Amino acid sequence: MVSNSPTISILTPTQPHPQRRRDGCSECRRKKVKCDLRKPVCSRCARYPRGCVYSLRVSLVDPKPRPARTPELAILANQPALSLSPFLSSAESKFFMHVLATQTAPVFFPAAPKLFLDRLISAALGTPHLLYALLASACSHHGRLIGDSTGTSWTACLKFTNRAISGLSSALNEPTQMLRAETAMTAMTLCTNDVCNGNMHVWQMHLAGVMRLLTAFLKQPSSMADSFTLCLVKWFTTLDVLAGLSSSTSITHGLLDRFLESCPSVVDDICGYSLELVPVLTRIGQLARQVDTLPQQVMYEAQMLDLTIRSLVDRAVPSNTLNTHGPELAHELQHTHLAFVHCALLHLHRRVQGFPRDHPDVRADIHNIITAIQHIRPFSQANILILWPVFSAGCETTVSEERHLLHTRMANMRSMGMGNFTRARDMLEVFWAAESPLPWDVYFTQQGLELVLF
């Protein structure tokens, strides 16, 4: 493990590169073995992820690039302190900044383009409320990784969260600050933290706030030309669509609609599925809530949606994802997409059309989801993207072997500090114990329980 007070040094472009690679994780460097650099946990450390720690390398990205080359920053342990940002004023904040960039961000966005993560962290270095929101996510994630649910990490999480909320409130009172992408990012980070920490009583408020901020931000002509803006919209859409599918809450926003025509028919690196599925998934969530009032109309539309979903099966991974993340993760992203496609069919058949669990179409949907999951390595970060398909198939299958596989996958992701997997796994066990014939969303609604499978 790294020291609790990592410090910072600047590497200039003129410094000679070392002859031997030193960017492996701490354990591989200690054992002097080759590291495959897989993040957040390399292959050698997959069984014991707590010791797998990387040195932080963050490229500062200016939203308005300048001709001069921006220096690269490295946060390393046991070196003379040098401030990255005036808001990183303590050893504690520097340590959690390290955790954020090397562990938390790769877990939250396992296949995201480097541009997105660089811009996210770079923006935080100059925006205190965003920085504090991201540090809060790093605190809670680190606490789950080391089993510190009530100690130092939790105390730091509360402190940074309070600072983020206070700063966000101030920004919302300033028109120029309210229309910045960083302000929407802060609200979105808080919302994501709520989901991962199980704070269901406040996440809906943050989600609605994000929608209002993004709507106002997108009205600015300059925002539409920025690829980073699209990443923000996809981040929000992922939260909102899964909220509509896994709870009684849904915001019909349409923020992504203006981008869909220009988006290629490929697997998206933020969502883990083709964006063509977004309107379909949104509509399934809506129809599930209308089936009792408009049964004939709903059933006809369900048949049309079935055909649409099946037409989206074959989607490739873009070449930039292959180049950035390598062939293994790129291959697995094709199967995260398939897991979502067949899970869409499963929800359509079970929740909208009301088929029983032993119906041939439902059994085929579950089989296809599990087949897709089996093409993803047990500890691959790609599993992080498919909580909704994993949980849905787990609730609908009664086959013990299938339940065991899905339960184990959720445990693997829980070991990576994913609090949303922890909560979903606990609720899956509750649902199995109840032996309810109801679709899981109906059962949990009747029990007054809420779950967002992000």
Side-chain angles (χ1 to χ4, degrees), residues 14-328:
T14 58
Q15 284 181 293
H17 293 285
Q19 295 301 310
R20 185 166 62 88
R21 292 190 69 172
R22 300 180 185 274
D23 52 356
C25 77
S26 55
E27 279 297 286
C28 289
R29 293 202 310 274
R30 183 178 67 82
K31 295 177 181 178
K32 298 182 179 179
V33 296
K34 184 177 180 181
C35 181
D36 63 8
L37 305 180
R38 189 176 305 284
K39 295 180 181 179
V41 179
C42 77
S43 297
R44 289 183 180 274
C45 297
R47 293 186 62 188
Y48 306 99
R50 293 184 185 179
C52 190
V53 178
Y54 290 88
S55 297
L56 169 62
R57 303 180 71 84
V58 180
S59 299
L60 287 182
V61 180
D62 192 327
K64 297 179 180 178
R66 300 172 184 174
R69 186 174 179 180
T70 308
E72 185 177 57
L73 300 179
I75 295 183
L76 303 170
N78 305 317
Q79 292 188 3
L82 183 67
S83 292
L84 256 180
S85 161
F87 311 114
L88 287 171
S89 57
S90 66
E92 179 185 57
S93 61
K94 291 183 177 73
F95 171 69
F96 284 115
M97 185 67 185
H98 179 279
V99 172
L100 169 69
T102 62
Q103 294 181 322
T104 305
V107 163
F108 277 12
F109 305 102
K114 188 175 184 297
L115 168 68
F116 174 67
L117 296 181
D118 282 352
R119 282 281 297 272
L120 183 66
I121 295 174
S122 297
L125 295 178
T127 310
H129 53 77
L130 175 58
L131 177 64
Y132 295 140
L134 290 170
L135 290 179
S137 67
C139 292
S140 58
H141 179 227
H142 180 70
R144 290 188 294 269
L145 278 174
I146 67 172
D148 177 30
S149 60
T150 59
T152 304
S153 297
W154 181 245
T155 301
C157 177
L158 291 176
K159 176 178 66 179
F160 288 128
T161 299
N162 289 336
R163 290 180 181 178
I165 292 173
S166 176
L168 179 60
S169 297
S170 298
L172 294 177
N173 291 323
E174 295 287 338
T176 57
Q177 294 294 315
M178 185 181 69
L179 293 177
R180 295 180 64 202
E182 290 82 355
T183 304
M185 278 190 277
T186 298
M188 203 137 37
T189 301
L190 290 171
C191 186
T192 304
N193 294 348
D194 292 334
V195 172
C196 290
N197 294 332
N199 300 327
M200 296 297 103
H201 61 291
V202 294
W203 83 270
Q204 295 178 23
M205 176 182 66
H206 287 150
L207 187 68
V210 172
M211 185 195 70
R212 290 192 293 270
L213 289 170
L214 278 178
T215 300
F217 176 68
L218 290 174
K219 289 180 180 179
Q220 302 177 106
S222 59
S223 68
M224 296 300 295
D226 188 357
S227 60
F228 183 66
T229 299
L230 177 57
C231 288
L232 293 181
V233 173
K234 290 189 293 187
W235 179 3
F236 168 73
T237 298
T238 300
L239 281 169
D240 184 43
V241 166
L242 292 177
L245 286 163
S246 54
S247 72
S248 59
T249 301
S250 179
I251 301 173
T252 306
H253 55 85
L255 296 181
L256 188 65
D257 294 351
R258 68 193 75 186
F259 297 96
L260 284 177
E261 288 187 6
S262 60
C263 289
S265 299
V266 295
V267 181
D268 183 72
D269 47 17
I270 298 287
C271 302
Y273 51 86
S274 171
L275 297 179
E276 297 163 291
L277 268 176
V278 168
V280 175
L281 296 175
T282 302
R283 189 59 183 150
I284 289 174
Q286 294 168 343
L287 289 178
R289 290 184 285 274
Q290 296 176 9
V291 68
D292 292 334
T293 57
L294 299 169
Q296 290 185 334
Q297 180 178 333
V298 167
M299 292 306 158
Y300 174 77
E301 187 172 350
Q303 293 173 3
M304 298 299 102
L305 281 174
D306 189 300
L307 297 174
T308 300
I309 295 168
R310 295 180 191 279
S311 72
L312 303 177
V313 168
D314 296 320
R315 291 296 178 266
V317 175
S319 58
N320 63 317
T321 302
L322 176 64
N323 296 334
T324 302
H325 297 287
E328 282 186 313

Side-chain angles (χ1 to χ4, degrees), residues 363 366-367 370 393-394 396-408 432:
R363 284 302 309 157
I366 295 171
H367 171 78
I370 291 175
E396 300 298 357
T397 182
T398 57
V399 179
S400 58
E401 293 83 0
E402 294 175 345
R403 284 186 170 186
H404 176 72
L405 182 149
L406 297 166
H407 194 258
T408 301
W432 285 346

